[in-house]
Amino acid sequence: MAMTITEFQASAREFVAEAITQNIPQWEQEGTYPLDLHNRAADWKLLQLGHDDYDQMLADAERQAFWLAELTRAGSQAMAMGLASHMVSLTALRHGNQQVFEDVAEQVVSGEKLIVMALTEPGAGSDLRAISSRVEQHCDGSLHFSGEKKFICNGSRADFFITAAYYQNELSLFLVEREPETTHADDLHCIGWYGLPVSSITFTNARAALIGEVGEAAKILRKALAKERLNLAVMSNASAKSILEYAGKYSTERMVQGKPLYKKQAILHKIATMSTQLKVSEAYVEKCFQALKERDLTDEETCIAKNFAVAALEEAANQCVHICGAAGCLQHTLVERTYRDAKILSLGGGSTEIMNEIIGRGLLRPFIKMKD
Ligand SMILES: Cc1cc2nc3c(=O)[nH]c(=O)nc-3n(C[C@H](O)[C@H](O)[C@H](O)COP(=O)(O)OP(=O)(O)OC[C@H]3O[C@@H](n4cnc5c(N)ncnc54)[C@H](O)[C@@H]3O)c2cc1C
């Protein structure tokens, strides 16, 4: 039976407190969280956001935001990427064959299998038109995917990949299933998100299924990427809130010249400024979720939400480490981890500059001639 929102929120909180929070330092040091965490989260119906119906699950932005924030507040953005980003992949897959979607969704929300988005290539990040992966049709009609994808979260242990390639000279979206003989992964080590394996994946003639129509990659990804960008804004806000609390508390305990640190106006004003940025960011993201419910969220709004939230987090991470002094530079403290993780958010899901392109063009659209 489907959970009510209150039941879902209580379960999400309890699961994160019980199964995740205390393990973050160990998983960060080991470079991965255990795969069976997906099964455990599935047992609590959290991977399906407490819904039985997949369309309701994908449409429930409120629960998705809550789940992401709880996972992030556990102390690492890696957990949010690991246990909540399947919603973005499934949003893209929803445009494909209904039976395939249902089969894959069932295996993913039951924690049996992992699905990831694998778009980026060594030569194509922001500019997906530069993708060099190719799909070919064999004599028996089957489609086969060849190419290299890079910086893929959970790539080394994913079972399904939503990925893009040129097929019949058009950029199209595909579902590829891992097979040992066609899929090879190499680990990469990034600046942050230590608890999440990131990989380079080489596909050689891997069986592929077209999602949507030939040439529809951009159209389908637009919706999925909008969801990803809002997710990253939620993660930014949740991280900023955690480190503000951490550094704020530190400033009340750390004594300088016989008084708590926060009594220095320079420190108190830093905290006030960060708090202001966070509140504004939270309010804007909330407005975006409201618009999403009413189905009139624009690409520009999504990009503004991501850019503002990420910039607020980057500044907060920098300042919170500073407020904590050398103690903030210690490895595996919350502020140190968040300082490293924050950098990734301004690149992943579309970089700050790409967001600005969309925002700027949106604003100028009425004035730009068609030929521009
Ligand atoms: C930890 C991590 C996890 C990731 N996980 C995934 C994943 O699971 N799946 C996936 O597909 N990808 C993933 N990525 C890749 C991510 O989506 C890309 O890093 C991002 O799209 C940017 O591409 P790029 O790194 O190739 O940078 P580039 O596109 O080469 O950009 C380099 C710089 O140039 C700037 N730039 C590019 N174009 C313009 C422009 N038109 N105008 C002005 N400036 C521009 C960019 O903003 C950036 O600062 C991940 C990345 C990281 C670091």
Side-chain angles (χ1 to χ4, degrees), residues 314-329:
E314 282 185 334
E315 178 62 10
N318 188 24
Q319 293 299 346
C320 286
V321 168
H322 202 72
I323 288 172
C324 295
C329 300

Side-chain angles (χ1 to χ4, degrees), residues 19-127:
I20 297 183
T21 310
Q22 74 278 14
N23 296 312
I24 297 276
Q26 187 191 335
W27 296 342
E28 286 268 322
Q29 288 191 46
E30 289 171 354
T32 182
Y33 65 88
L35 202 48
D36 76 353
L37 199 61
H38 287 260
N39 302 94
R40 295 172 65 193
D43 289 343
W44 292 56
K45 286 186 85 167
L46 294 170
L47 298 186
Q48 60 203 85
L49 304 179
H51 284 293
D52 291 329
D53 179 276
Y54 296 139
D55 285 333
Q56 282 178 7
M57 170 186 87
L58 290 182
D60 199 334
E62 189 183 359
R63 291 191 190 193
Q64 168 76 351
F66 187 87
W67 179 225
L68 278 161
E70 282 303 304
L71 289 166
T72 307
R73 297 269 284 153
S76 163
Q77 292 166 12
M79 301 316 303
M81 288 307 295
L83 289 172
S85 62
H86 58 285
M87 292 298 166
V88 176
S89 306
L90 291 178
T91 297
L93 188 60
R94 188 71 190 84
H95 292 261
N97 177 284
Q98 172 80 14
Q99 193 56 52
V100 172
F101 167 77
E102 284 181 10
D103 288 350
V104 171
E106 192 181 332
Q107 295 176 72
V108 169
V109 302
S110 66
E112 243 178 84
K113 295 209 168 165
L114 241 65
I115 189 167
V116 298
M117 202 69 142
L119 302 173
T120 308
E121 296 189 352
S126 305
D127 181 11

Side-chain angles (χ1 to χ4, degrees), residues 237-238 241 277-287:
N237 288 344
K241 191 169 182 189
Q277 295 288 309
L278 174 61
K279 291 285 175 207
V280 172
S281 183
E282 285 175 338
Y284 195 79
V285 170
E286 181 57 38
K287 175 187 173 300

Side-chain angles (χ1 to χ4, degrees), residues 117-120 125-126 151-153 190 193 344 347-349 351 353-354:
M117 202 69 142
L119 302 173
T120 308
S126 305
F151 308 112
I152 308 306
C153 294
C190 289
W193 294 1
I344 298 171
L347 289 165
S351 70
E353 288 78 6
I354 298 301

Side-chain angles (χ1 to χ4, degrees), residues 154-220:
N154 260 333
S156 55
R157 51 192 191 174
D159 304 282
F160 299 111
F161 302 86
I162 302 289
T163 185
Y166 279 93
Y167 175 53
Q168 296 175 353
N169 292 323
E170 299 209 60
L171 193 57
S172 309
L173 210 58
F174 295 89
L175 174 72
V176 173
E177 195 166 352
R178 169 185 297 282
E179 290 171 323
E181 57 281 10
T182 59
T183 317
H184 174 81
D186 288 305
D187 285 344
L188 300 169
H189 300 281
C190 289
I191 195 171
W193 294 1
Y194 283 2
L196 182 69
V198 175
S199 314
S200 190
I201 320 280
T202 308
F203 298 101
T204 313
N205 278 321
R207 268 186 177 271
L210 182 67
I211 301 172
E213 303 292 327
V214 174
E216 278 197 335
K219 184 178 144 202
I220 298 172

Side-chain angles (χ1 to χ4, degrees), residues 233-234 236-238 240 274-288 304-313:
V234 170
S236 297
N237 288 344
M274 289 186 280
S275 180
T276 306
Q277 295 288 309
L278 174 61
K279 291 285 175 207
V280 172
S281 183
E282 285 175 338
Y284 195 79
V285 170
E286 181 57 38
K287 175 187 173 300
C288 287
I304 290 169
K306 178 178 186 266
N307 268 3
F308 194 91
V310 169
L313 173 63

